[in-house]
Amino acid sequence: DIQMTQSPSSLSASVGDRVTITCRASQVISNSLAWYQQKPGKAPKLLLHAASILEYGVPSRFSGGGSGSDYTGTDYTLTISSLQPEDFATYYCQQYYSTPLLTFGGGTKVEIK
Amino acid sequence: EVQLVESGGGLVQRGGSLRLSCATSGFTFDNYAMHWVRQVPGKGLEWVSGIGWNSGRIGYADSVKGRFTISRDNAKHSLYLQMNSLRAEDTALYYCAKDFSPRYGYSGFDMWGQGTMVTVSS
């Protein structure tokens, strides 16, 4: 099974900060990666898929970095270019390369400094 | 408007069974794979099981394999999860989720229900 390791598990940041979250796959997943945002008491929300494709309606301050042009890397990033008050939440990565088995990362909680 | 409404959760003794249901509307149900994802309160997300649009592709997390069975009824636009031999560690909020890739896709989740809570007492 493919394991997904997110780092850090939590971070503190201020409004306006640039924030980057990393997700490392235990093997090549060829950009088959999604990112989700979850706020307390709510279901997760899909932010990006295919590592870097922004979902409709998601602000452009969110961006995703992939495994390079040859899809052979295993490290992926989610970047928030200028953190807004509504962005304080927990973020999860999820791989869909090894279907029908899907796996999430452990999550990164973004808190207010 | 897309809606996914889970039901069937509750309190059950260890070793017992429950059947979760997810009633959907607002999209062409038989065009998409569907999934169950669970979350222990205060913890992370765990994918539990998924089923392809025509029930042809089915997967289970190792933690539930052999105990849980996923199924769907395209005529009723509904998804199900039969949960047997329940353990304390199955206690969680169970979400029904729609796949974001149409037809042959089996990928991630673009629509979610609000979840149904399953509590297994020991």
Side-chain angles (χ1 to χ4, degrees):
Chain A
D1 295 2
I2 297 178
Q3 309 303 317
M4 305 300 293
T5 303
Q6 268 184 255
S7 60
S9 56
S10 66
L11 65 90
S12 295
S14 300
V15 172
D17 284 354
R18 181 182 181 88
V19 168
T20 298
I21 298 167
T22 298
C23 186
R24 173 168 290 176
S26 60
Q27 64 187 72
V28 169
I29 58 171
S30 299
N31 283 5
S32 298
L33 185 91
W35 288 97
Y36 301 85
Q37 176 193 66
Q38 187 179 31
K39 296 182 179 179
K42 300 294 187 181
K45 174 186 175 183
L46 178 65
L47 298 177
L48 300 99
H49 71 274
S52 60
I53 298 176
L54 209 61
E55 296 304 308
Y56 179 78
V58 174
S60 60
R61 62 181 180 272
F62 290 91
S63 64
S67 61
S69 58
D70 60 356
Y71 300 95
T72 59
T74 57
D75 288 355
Y76 296 83
T77 56
L78 173 69
T79 298
I80 309 172
S81 60
S82 177
L83 200 64
Q84 297 302 301
E86 60 268 31
D87 301 336
F88 292 96
T90 301
Y91 294 85
Y92 296 92
C93 62
Q94 175 245 325
Q95 69 80 20
Y96 51 95
Y97 181 78
S98 67
T99 61
L101 302 180
L102 311 178
T103 45
F104 286 96
T108 296
K109 187 174 184 179
V110 177
E111 298 176 299
I112 301 172
K113 184 182 284 185
Chain B
E1 180 191 8
V2 172
Q3 287 196 320
L4 297 88
V5 180
E6 302 94 339
S7 60
L11 178 63
V12 62
Q13 286 194 330
R14 184 180 58 186
S17 298
L18 277 179
R19 188 189 193 217
L20 305 185
S21 299
C22 175
T24 75
S25 61
F27 67 100
T28 306
F29 183 75
D30 59 4
N31 260 8
Y32 294 91
M34 295 292 295
H35 305 269
W36 291 98
V37 175
R38 69 185 181 184
Q39 186 171 35
V40 174
K43 301 297 184 183
L45 300 169
E46 180 186 18
W47 173 81
V48 172
S49 182
I51 184 168
W53 66 278
N54 64 350
S55 303
R57 188 191 298 188
I58 289 177
Y60 298 97
D62 288 346
S63 57
V64 307
K65 198 174 297 181
R67 300 187 298 121
F68 290 10
T69 302
I70 192 171
S71 62
R72 64 189 293 160
D73 185 333
N74 285 348
K76 295 183 178 179
H77 302 164
S78 293
L79 176 71
Y80 307 99
L81 187 69
Q82 178 66 43
M83 309 164 65
N84 298 333
S85 303
L86 283 162
R87 305 168 179 168
E89 56 264 36
D90 296 318
T91 294
L93 184 66
Y94 285 73
Y95 290 105
C96 165
K98 170 187 166 293
D99 201 286
F100 60 70
S101 297
R103 271 292 154 149
Y104 301 103
Y106 191 109
S107 42
F109 327 105
D110 64 347
M111 294 293 172
W112 300 66
Q114 285 306 301
T116 187
M117 188 68 199
V118 172
T119 303
V120 182
S121 65
S122 53

